[in-house]
Structures are given as structure tokens and as C-alpha cells.
Amino acid sequence: MLMITVRICNKWFMSKVLIVDDDQLFRELLKEALEFEGHEVASAENGLAALALLEYSHPDIILLDIMMPELDGFGLLAARKDQTPVIVISAIDTEDDRIKGYELGADDFLTKPFSIKELLVRMVALQRRVELTRAENVAEATSINNEITFDDMQYSVSIASREVVLTQTEFKLFKYLFERKGKVITKQELQRSVLQKDLGQFDRNLDMHISNTRRKLADTQLPKTLINTVRGQGYSFAS
């Protein structure tokens, strides 16, 4: 159940929200309430549908139920590859479930029923934390920008005395972006110039290479934000 609230103009940030809940009426009511507040909202009836959406959609925040058929909320948290902030919204309210949710990557937990006003406040607080972390990562990325060298024979990159070994394609993408740091490079340009083919409508090859490169950076305790996603445009190297 949702509790009624009034709109507070100019207070809430606008974002892309993904609601994952098997209760159709609840999804529709929550979607309507969030859209009234200015948010762009998509929805999925279970974890499997949400995973399919996340292949091509990049929400700013996920509102996730736990008890769902086919793939529940815990399963989605464990299976997803993205780092989108998640608020669990569930009638389940046990310590074990909350702990499990946090361990699997949830950022906050809100028990049903709740007011839209409380949800919006939590969304704003979570977004602030995310933006602060991103700003810190960008600052770190910028500080090490001048400490990058490339080994074209081994396809490795030395960054601040740490070596990252990449595949040939990952190496070429990383170097291409680095040489154009500060500029937003479209996916089409990266496809043609580095992958040597046109970008197909459902082609996720480029995104996979970028994701793998970021993972290798993180595994070497380097900021993934060396490569930034510019929504709707492409990628850029932190400068």
C-alpha cells in the first residue's frame, strides 16, 4: 500500500527509476506517483524481466521487491552486473533479510507500506552518497592521469605503478579513449575505429569490453571512473 503525499516542488531530484515488483497494482500506483514527481519510470514484474531491461536500459536507481516468481530480489542482486543503486521495498522486515540484502549489494531498505515522501527523501539521500563517491573517484582518476604508460606489445597499461593486463581489444579501446581524454567519444566512432565494424541496434560487444576493462581496473584497486559513461552519447576518459 502507498500512503498519499503532496508534491514539494523543486525539492526532489529527477531521475530514471526502475521498479521491480510482481504486484501490478503496486507498480502502477508507484509509477504514477513517481512520474507525478517528475521521474522517468520503467517497471518489471520479476528479476528476470529486470535483468533483460538492464541489458539496454541504465536507470539511476532501482526499487526492488524481494518476494517475486521466477527470480526474486535476492537473485537479481546476485545476478546483476551493473552497480546501479538499489532500495529494497518489501513487506519482509526481518534482520536476516535486511542483512542478506545489504550483503548482496542493496543500498537501503524500506518496508511496505511506506509514504512516497519518505521514499523520495531516501532516494535523494542515496543519490547524494552516490554522487559524492563518484566525485571522489573522478578526483582520484584525475590525479593519476599523468601516470599512465602503455605497453603495445603486452597489451598492458601501467597506472600509478600498477599494471593492468588487458585483451587486445580492451587495450585499443582504453588507449583510444585516453588519447582523446576530455572528449566524449560516441559508441559509433568506437565501433568503427576500434572494433572495425558498424554498431548494430542490439550489439552489446562494445559495452561488454568497456565493462570488462572497468572490472580489471577495480580488481587492481584503480577507479573504474577512468572510463566514464556519458548517457545517451558514449564514453569519455577522465581528464
Side-chain angles (χ1 to χ4, degrees):
M1 177 182 294
L2 292 176
M3 299 169 63
I4 297 174
T5 186
V6 296
R7 180 171 183 159
I8 303 177
C9 295
N10 300 321
K11 183 173 182 179
W12 313 115
F13 74 101
M14 308 307 173
S15 64
K16 294 178 67 175
V17 181
L18 174 59
I19 302 169
V20 188
D21 196 297
D22 64 328
D23 185 330
Q24 182 178 355
L25 179 59
F26 176 83
R27 290 199 313 270
E28 291 174 353
L29 288 172
L30 183 54
K31 183 175 187 291
E32 181 180 352
L34 291 173
E35 287 179 339
F36 182 73
E37 295 293 334
H39 299 284
E40 180 182 338
V41 183
S43 63
E45 66 273 17
N46 56 51
L48 284 179
L51 284 176
L53 273 174
L54 290 170
E55 285 294 318
Y56 60 87
S57 176
H58 304 286
D60 297 304
I61 194 164
I62 297 172
L63 305 179
L64 177 65
D65 189 23
I66 294 299
M67 298 299 293
M68 295 181 291
E70 298 191 57
L71 184 67
D72 66 12
F74 293 139
L76 173 59
L77 286 170
R80 71 191 184 116
K81 299 177 182 178
D82 65 288
Q83 297 297 315
T84 305
V86 175
I87 297 178
V88 172
I89 49 172
S90 177
I92 296 176
D93 187 21
T94 69
E95 182 180 34
D96 287 344
D97 286 317
R98 289 197 301 273
I99 290 173
K100 183 175 181 180
Y102 290 132
E103 288 177 341
L104 288 171
D107 299 276
D108 200 355
F109 200 108
L110 186 58
T111 304
K112 296 177 181 177
F114 54 83
S115 72
I116 291 296
K117 184 174 181 179
E118 181 180 4
L119 173 61
L120 290 168
V121 168
R122 288 173 181 256
M123 288 168 63
V124 170
L126 178 55
Q127 185 71 5
R128 285 174 180 157
R129 294 201 300 271
V130 169
E131 292 302 324
L132 178 61
T133 299
R134 285 175 179 167
E136 290 172 346
N137 287 340
V138 168
E140 183 182 356
T142 303
S143 70
I144 66 176
N145 219 295
N146 295 324
E147 302 178 55
I148 299 177
T149 58
F150 295 87
D151 186 331
D152 295 292
M153 300 298 293
Q154 301 297 323
Y155 304 126
S156 66
V157 184
S158 294
I159 307 172
S161 302
R162 297 169 186 160
E163 184 181 38
V164 183
V165 179
L166 304 170
T167 66
Q168 182 177 3
T169 301
E170 293 164 0
F171 179 85
K172 288 180 177 178
L173 282 168
F174 190 92
K175 190 172 185 180
Y176 192 91
L177 289 168
F178 175 80
E179 290 172 344
R180 293 156 184 80
K181 56 180 176 287
K183 290 180 58 180
V184 178
I185 310 300
T186 65
K187 291 186 177 182
Q188 289 83 355
E189 179 179 342
L190 286 170
Q191 281 277 150
R192 288 193 297 266
S193 300
V194 181
L195 273 62
Q196 302 295 311
K197 63 178 182 177
D198 291 328
L199 180 65
Q201 182 179 359
F202 301 106
D203 191 344
R204 307 302 296 174
N205 229 4
L206 175 62
D207 295 329
M208 179 192 70
H209 289 304
I210 294 293
S211 176
N212 288 340
T213 302
R214 285 173 169 158
R215 177 180 52 78
K216 290 177 181 180
L217 289 170
D219 288 345
T220 322
Q221 285 74 57
L222 290 164
K224 294 186 291 185
T225 47
L226 280 171
I227 300 176
N228 297 315
T229 298
V230 183
R231 192 180 301 279
Q233 298 183 53
Y235 297 102
S236 69
F237 199 93
S239 64

